[in-house]
């Protein structure tokens, strides 16, 4: 036959009901042996393949995970997804993948659509706009498992796979101090994003521990947009006492910062040293090469998926949410390494 064979095709050819075909294929005892044999023989001849999704829906099992990230164009999220997919496939699951483009409304719609698609659980990194968590609390009330990575909601008692953002930012800031920076600025993300706030905390801790002031005029928040990073950097350079070091919350924004520094003929790292986060491939191809904090992205994805599937398959109902904090590594390159 030209199209994929269905139960209806088998039923029409054998002049029996769809229910009879279904029962015969499932070897139900009420079906006569000769009818069962005829159904199985025709199914074999026509290469009938059962609709796995429909079958799993009847059993309330789709073995499908919903994944929601802010932006698939970010290397960080793309790399985490590789880890998610590898673990999901290894354990017999598939993915439905969506992005929010950093918009709360799109995150809300994605959660609603994936829920209607019968996903068994969610792995989510929140959009930069997300403050209202009602859509996620509804998932919890329905008993749908949820795991956060990178950007989380601290008030929700769910599993999370994060990195030590406070410690990573502390190390990055200390590196700039050790390289002679006396006035270090922090280019942060939106104040609603926990990962940015954690990095800001680590930056402040490092300054205090080294006898340096945490100055409000050197801490600027902005959206995850290149143009915003350029504007903030120009603002910092216009200060009467401008910074000689810059911690940037992500590599994408650091590219904008470096562009602004070059436009003002600022020597990097001699006049302003720069460190950022994520260690994306662009760090090694821009000039100067960019110092950045590398994260174990594949492990983040694998671990988040493992936690989610463990909860999905917890028939006994004994699963307890787990928070995993993974280690990072500062990769020092030209943008921050001053010659001594």
């Amino acid at each position: 036959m030209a199209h994929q064979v269905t139960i209806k095709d088998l039923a029409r050819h054998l002049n029996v009901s769809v229910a009879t075909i279904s029962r015969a294929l499932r070897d139900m005892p009420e079906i006569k042996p000769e009818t069962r044999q005829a159904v199985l023989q025709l199914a074999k001849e026509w290469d009938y393949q059962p609709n796995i999704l429909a079958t799993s829906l009847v059993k309330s099992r789709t073995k499908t995970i919903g994944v929601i990230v802010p932006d698939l164009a970010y290397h960080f999220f793309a790399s985490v997804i590789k880890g998610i997919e590898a673990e999901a496939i290894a354990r017999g699951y598939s993915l439905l993948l969506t992005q929010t483009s950093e918009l709360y409304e799109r995150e809300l719609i994605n959660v609603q659509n994936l829920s209607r698609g019968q996903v068994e659980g969610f792995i989510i990194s929140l959009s930069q706009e997300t403050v209202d968590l009602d859509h996620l609390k509804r998932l919890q009330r329905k008993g749908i498992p949820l795991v956060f990575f990178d950007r989380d909601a601290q008030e929700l008692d769910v599993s999370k796979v994060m990195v030590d953002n406070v410690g990573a930012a502390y190390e990055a800031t200390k590196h700039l101090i050790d390289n002679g920076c006396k006035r270090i600025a922090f280019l942060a993300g939106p104040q609603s994003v926990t990962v940015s706030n954690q990095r800001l905390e680590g930056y402040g801790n490092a300054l205090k521990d080294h006898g340096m002031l945490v100055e409000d005029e050197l801490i600027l928040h902005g959206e995850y947009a290149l143009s915003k990073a350029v504007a903030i950097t120009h603002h910092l350079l216009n200060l009467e006492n401008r910074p000689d070091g810059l911690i940037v919350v992500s590599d994408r924004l650091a590219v904008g910062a470096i562009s602004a520094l070059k436009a003002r003929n600022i020597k990097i790292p001699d006049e302003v040293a720069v460190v950022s986060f994520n260690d994306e491939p662009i760090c090694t191809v821009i000039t100067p090469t960019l110092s950045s904090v590398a994260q174990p992205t594949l492990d983040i994805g694998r671990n988040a998926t493992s936690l989610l599937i463990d909860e999905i398959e917890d028939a006994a109902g004994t699963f307890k949410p787990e928070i995993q904090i993974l280690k990072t590594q500062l990769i020092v390159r030209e943008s921050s390494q001053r010659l001594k």
Side-chain angles (χ1 to χ4, degrees), residues 57-70:
L57 284 172
V58 171
K59 298 178 181 178
S60 297
R61 291 301 311 278
T62 63
K63 303 203 80 172
T64 303
I65 295 169
V67 181
I68 303 176
V69 299

Side-chain angles (χ1 to χ4, degrees), residues 121-134:
F122 285 85
I123 298 174
I124 299 179
S125 184
L126 298 175
S127 83
Q128 67 179 10
E129 292 184 349
T130 301
V131 177
D132 186 341
L133 303 174
D134 282 350

Side-chain angles (χ1 to χ4, degrees), residues 285-327:
V285 296
I286 64 172
T287 303
T289 55
L290 179 59
S291 296
S292 187
V293 175
Q295 303 185 59
T297 51
L298 293 177
D299 288 341
I300 291 171
R302 290 192 190 101
N303 292 11
T305 307
S306 179
L307 286 170
L308 181 66
I309 294 175
D310 286 349
E311 185 173 359
I312 290 171
E313 297 183 348
D314 176 36
T318 58
F319 181 89
K320 299 296 183 184
E322 180 180 335
I323 298 177
Q324 296 183 3
I325 308 295
L326 307 185
K327 293 185 180 298

Side-chain angles (χ1 to χ4, degrees), residues 229-230 233-234 236-237 242-243 245-246 248 254-269 271-274 288 335:
V230 171
T233 305
H234 280 300
L236 289 169
L237 294 176
R242 74 186 188 194
L246 182 58
V248 188
V255 170
I258 287 175
S259 174
L261 292 171
K262 287 182 176 180
R264 300 282 284 267
N265 294 315
I266 302 295
K267 294 179 181 179
I268 310 168
E271 294 180 87
V272 177
V274 182
S335 68

Side-chain angles (χ1 to χ4, degrees), residues 68-71 98-108 110 125-128 151:
I68 303 176
V69 299
D71 193 337
T98 65
Q99 64 178 348
T100 64
S101 299
E102 298 286 12
L103 301 173
Y104 165 75
E105 288 296 333
R106 188 167 296 181
E107 180 177 293
L108 183 63
N110 288 343
S125 184
L126 298 175
S127 83
Q128 67 179 10
R151 305 183 195 171

Side-chain angles (χ1 to χ4, degrees), residues 95-324:
L95 306 181
L96 286 178
L97 178 63
T98 65
Q99 64 178 348
T100 64
S101 299
E102 298 286 12
L103 301 173
Y104 165 75
E105 288 296 333
R106 188 167 296 181
E107 180 177 293
L108 183 63
I109 291 170
N110 288 343
V111 168
Q112 292 172 341
N113 289 342
L114 290 176
S115 296
R116 285 196 291 268
Q118 298 295 315
V119 298
E120 294 196 53
F122 285 85
I123 298 174
I124 299 179
S125 184
L126 298 175
S127 83
Q128 67 179 10
E129 292 184 349
T130 301
V131 177
D132 186 341
L133 303 174
D134 282 350
H135 58 305
L136 303 178
K137 291 176 180 177
R138 280 196 295 272
L139 294 181
Q140 286 189 298
R141 289 194 294 270
K142 292 178 180 178
I144 300 176
L146 168 64
V147 175
F148 285 123
F149 76 94
D150 189 52
R151 305 183 195 171
D152 71 325
Q154 295 180 326
E155 66 185 82
L156 295 185
D157 183 24
V158 300
S159 293
K160 303 170 185 180
V161 180
M162 315 296 288
V163 299
D164 182 8
N165 285 297
V166 176
Y170 188 103
E171 183 183 6
T173 307
K174 181 179 182 299
H175 166 68
L176 291 186
I177 295 170
D178 291 344
N179 275 267
C181 292
K182 305 296 185 185
R183 189 168 161 79
I184 302 170
F186 191 96
L187 199 167
Q191 290 177 295
S192 60
V193 177
T194 55
V195 63
S196 176
N197 295 334
Q198 291 164 353
R199 291 170 184 172
L200 181 57
E201 180 183 348
Y203 154 85
N205 291 345
L207 293 183
K208 292 173 185 176
D209 287 351
H210 290 81
M212 301 171 68
L213 295 176
V214 178
E215 302 181 58
D216 289 343
E217 72 172 354
L218 294 181
I219 300 172
L220 295 174
H221 294 267
E223 298 174 353
Y224 286 98
L226 199 68
S227 59
K228 192 67 175 179
V230 171
I232 288 175
T233 305
H234 280 300
H235 172 82
L236 289 169
L237 294 176
N238 289 335
L239 295 176
E240 184 175 345
N241 187 11
R242 74 186 188 194
D244 60 357
L246 182 58
I247 303 288
V248 188
V249 76
S250 75
D251 294 332
R252 286 291 187 93
L253 298 186
V255 170
I258 287 175
S259 174
L261 292 171
K262 287 182 176 180
R264 300 282 284 267
N265 294 315
I266 302 295
K267 294 179 181 179
I268 310 168
D270 296 339
E271 294 180 87
V272 177
V274 182
V275 178
S276 62
F277 294 81
N278 293 343
D279 194 37
E280 298 198 7
I282 196 171
C283 294
T284 62
V285 296
I286 64 172
T287 303
T289 55
L290 179 59
S291 296
S292 187
V293 175
Q295 303 185 59
T297 51
L298 293 177
D299 288 341
I300 291 171
R302 290 192 190 101
N303 292 11
T305 307
S306 179
L307 286 170
L308 181 66
I309 294 175
D310 286 349
E311 185 173 359
I312 290 171
E313 297 183 348
D314 176 36
T318 58
F319 181 89
K320 299 296 183 184
E322 180 180 335
I323 298 177
Q324 296 183 3

